[in-house]
Amino acid sequence: MGKILLLLLIMVTGFSALMRPWIGISSYYFLSLLGPQYIWWWVFDGVRVSLLVAGFAIAGIGIDLLKGNLAPRLLKTRLNLYVLLLWVFLAVSYWLGPFVDLYASGGRTPEQIFSLMNNVFLFYFCATITVDDLKKIRYLTLVMVVSVIYLAYWANDQYLSANWSQFNMGRLMGPRSIGGGSIYGDENAFAMFFVTGLPFVFYLGMEVRKKWLRYLLWAVIPLGGHAIFLTGSRGGLLGICVTLFVGLFLSKRKILAIPVLLGAFMFYQWQAGSVMKDRSEIIAEYEGDRSATDRLDAWGGGVKMILTHPVTGVGLGSFVTALPIFIEHRPMVAHNTLIQFAAESGLGAGVCYVLLIYTFYRNARRVLLRCNAEKSDETAKRIDQYNKTCMISFSGLVVCSLFLSLNTYEIFFFLLIINNSLAQICQEKLDPA
């Protein structure tokens, strides 16, 4: 029965995507963010839903391009130029990287990573050309909110039902299929989902008019915070602190800063748990923390890779393979997104990553200033709300990327899509001349 319903949903989604490609794009990101194929794996087993949805969405975009319904203006931006160049550098490092063919075992192969990144970049550009108004941005934000609500419930349910098989040494892992596949199998990646998703929940609550629905949405926020505590991720803890401070900085009610910070601290003391507290207490004491010293060693090894292979890097997906060759250390990832990009795919990839971050904030600042100048305009208010949501979410992600390898983390590109669209919409709606 479950598979019959799934096939019906695929057919409806596919037909809708042919008529309105942005529906296919939203469905794709729903699969990417929530990962229902890992939660209800017995229903999705044997059905390549992502591939089917992707095919319908791309076909719909092709039809609209032939009809002239899609304008390429959203593609012609500086942000997209840097995304394209990053894709090129990753491809070059895959084909010419000296350590790609030396891959041994463990984790994703370079071929799998290359295939995954091609999908990520392809759908980034598909989404960029279709998400061209505030209505479509709203649906993307709703996809994020629905995903956060369900996964916050799922995470807390694992704890309350004492499903300890879902915990790794006391740390909650994300949902996974019976074969072990998962987009949130790593505790840090699962924590980062809530770091980036909770700002969307908060601002949607600000948008709704019914108070009971607003408070119901905001009730998800402490559940999401508790989910971060369950992962025991120090990166997640740092990320949620960053989003909190950035949110307060952007808020017009700064008088609430002290009670909000005090409430967050009390909630941490009450609900963080021994695993989270023990791990957070040694953040500054890196000499006695093997995880921290390993990171420093990996960064040093990454710098050596960059200096030795500045053009191609060691090869896409080859940092783990190359690290023991450059320094005397066990295989591990860089635990730094910038170093991982630059070491694997050359200095060009690292520069593009930095330029993407710079351009994101450049776009966001321009939108913020323009919206502040049009406070009475309803469109400006909506643009401002989405812009602030993305700024807060992106800030938490970027800070955590200093300590985590988030190179294949699709939420990064999800936020770039919204930022790129908001910049263009703001220019067209508020600066018609």
Side-chain angles (χ1 to χ4, degrees):
M1 182 63 185
K3 283 208 167 158
I4 294 176
L5 179 61
L6 175 63
L7 292 174
L8 288 174
L9 286 173
I10 293 173
M11 291 175 61
V12 172
T13 302
F15 179 76
S16 301
L18 288 174
M19 301 296 103
R20 296 180 175 85
W22 62 268
I23 294 179
I25 296 298
S26 298
S27 300
Y28 169 82
Y29 281 107
F30 179 73
L31 293 169
S32 298
L33 298 178
L34 177 62
Q37 61 272 38
Y38 303 110
I39 301 172
W40 303 288
W41 53 266
W42 57 93
V43 176
F44 286 77
D45 186 41
V47 182
R48 301 191 66 179
V49 181
S50 295
L51 181 62
L52 292 171
V53 170
F56 283 119
I58 293 173
I61 291 172
I63 293 172
D64 271 7
L65 284 172
L66 291 174
K67 291 181 177 179
N69 295 335
L70 293 178
R73 71 187 191 284
L74 289 173
L75 291 174
K76 300 176 182 179
T77 65
R78 187 174 299 180
L79 188 74
N80 288 334
L81 173 62
Y82 298 143
V83 173
L84 179 61
L85 288 174
L86 179 59
W87 193 2
V88 170
F89 282 118
L90 295 182
V92 170
S93 71
Y94 173 72
W95 293 110
L96 302 179
F99 289 86
V100 172
D101 294 333
L102 299 181
Y103 175 82
S105 61
R108 291 173 174 158
T109 66
E111 291 78 9
Q112 290 172 328
I113 294 176
F114 186 54
S115 176
L116 172 63
M117 294 307 294
N118 284 337
N119 291 337
V120 168
F121 282 100
L122 174 62
F123 265 86
Y124 169 85
F125 286 110
C126 287
T128 296
I129 200 172
T130 55
V131 181
D132 55 1
D133 59 44
L134 291 178
K135 175 184 176 182
K136 295 169 185 176
I137 290 177
R138 178 177 173 80
Y139 277 102
L140 280 183
T141 62
L142 287 175
V143 165
M144 174 66 87
V145 169
V146 170
S147 300
V148 171
I149 291 173
Y150 185 82
L151 285 177
Y153 155 76
W154 181 91
N156 284 274
D157 181 59
Q158 306 310 303
Y159 172 72
L160 294 174
S161 63
N163 183 17
W164 307 125
S165 64
Q166 196 62 43
F167 289 74
N168 175 30
M169 299 180 66
R171 301 177 62 190
L172 178 65
M173 301 177 291
R176 60 183 61 219
S177 67
I178 194 170
S182 176
I183 51 177
Y184 302 121
D186 179 76
E187 301 89 351
N188 292 315
F190 195 38
M192 283 308 306
F193 168 76
F194 293 106
V195 169
T196 53
L198 289 177
F200 284 83
V201 176
F202 175 78
Y203 274 96
L204 181 62
M206 292 285 290
E207 183 180 345
V208 298
R209 296 182 178 179
K210 295 181 179 179
K211 289 187 177 180
W212 67 268
L213 180 56
R214 177 182 304 167
Y215 294 131
L216 189 62
L217 283 168
W218 285 351
V220 175
I221 295 176
L223 293 177
H226 186 245
I228 293 174
F229 297 158
L230 291 175
T231 65
S233 171
R234 289 173 292 184
L237 181 62
L238 175 63
I240 202 65
C241 289
V242 170
T243 59
L244 183 60
F245 280 106
V246 174
L248 290 172
F249 176 77
L250 295 175
S251 174
K252 297 177 181 178
R253 299 180 179 179
K254 292 183 174 57
I255 194 173
L256 296 176
I258 293 178
V260 168
L261 292 174
L262 182 60
F265 177 75
M266 293 175 64
F267 182 70
Y268 170 79
Q269 293 295 332
W270 176 39
Q271 287 291 325
S274 59
V275 174
M276 184 78 260
K277 289 180 179 178
D278 289 344
R279 288 175 58 81
S280 63
E281 286 175 0
I282 56 177
I283 288 178
E285 302 171 5
Y286 68 89
E287 294 92 345
D289 180 13
R290 181 180 177 183
S291 177
T293 56
D294 279 350
R295 277 174 166 81
L296 294 175
D297 292 338
W299 296 351
V303 171
K304 289 184 178 180
M305 295 179 201
I306 296 170
L307 295 175
T308 306
H309 302 282
V311 179
T312 65
V314 296
L316 183 66
S318 301
F319 188 96
V320 175
T321 303
L323 184 61
I325 299 174
F326 282 85
I327 63 171
E328 189 176 341
H329 199 279
R330 65 182 177 86
M332 62 179 291
V333 297
H335 286 285
N336 180 290
T337 305
L338 173 59
I339 291 178
Q340 186 105 16
F341 267 132
E344 288 191 343
S345 303
L347 277 173
V351 170
C352 286
Y353 175 69
V354 172
L355 288 173
L356 283 173
I357 295 173
Y358 167 76
T359 307
F360 179 98
Y361 284 112
R362 179 174 173 269
N363 286 346
R365 182 176 179 275
R366 288 184 173 182
V367 171
L368 187 65
L369 293 175
R370 193 67 187 88
C371 290
N372 286 339
E374 301 285 347
K375 294 181 180 179
S376 60
D377 188 280
E378 288 300 320
T379 300
K381 290 179 181 178
R382 292 181 62 195
I383 293 174
D384 183 58
Q385 175 181 306
Y386 293 136
N387 186 49
K388 287 179 177 177
T389 303
C390 284
M391 285 180 70
I392 297 168
S393 178
F394 195 75
S395 297
L397 181 64
V398 167
V399 170
C400 288
S401 71
L402 297 173
F403 308 98
L404 301 171
S405 291
L406 301 173
N407 304 64
T408 60
Y409 207 62
E410 198 152 14
I411 293 176
F412 176 80
F413 296 91
F414 178 84
L415 295 174
L416 291 183
I417 292 165
I418 299 177
N419 176 263
N420 183 75
S421 295
L422 285 175
Q424 300 306 306
I425 293 170
C426 181
Q427 183 177 354
E428 294 169 4
K429 299 293 184 181
L430 304 184
D431 294 310

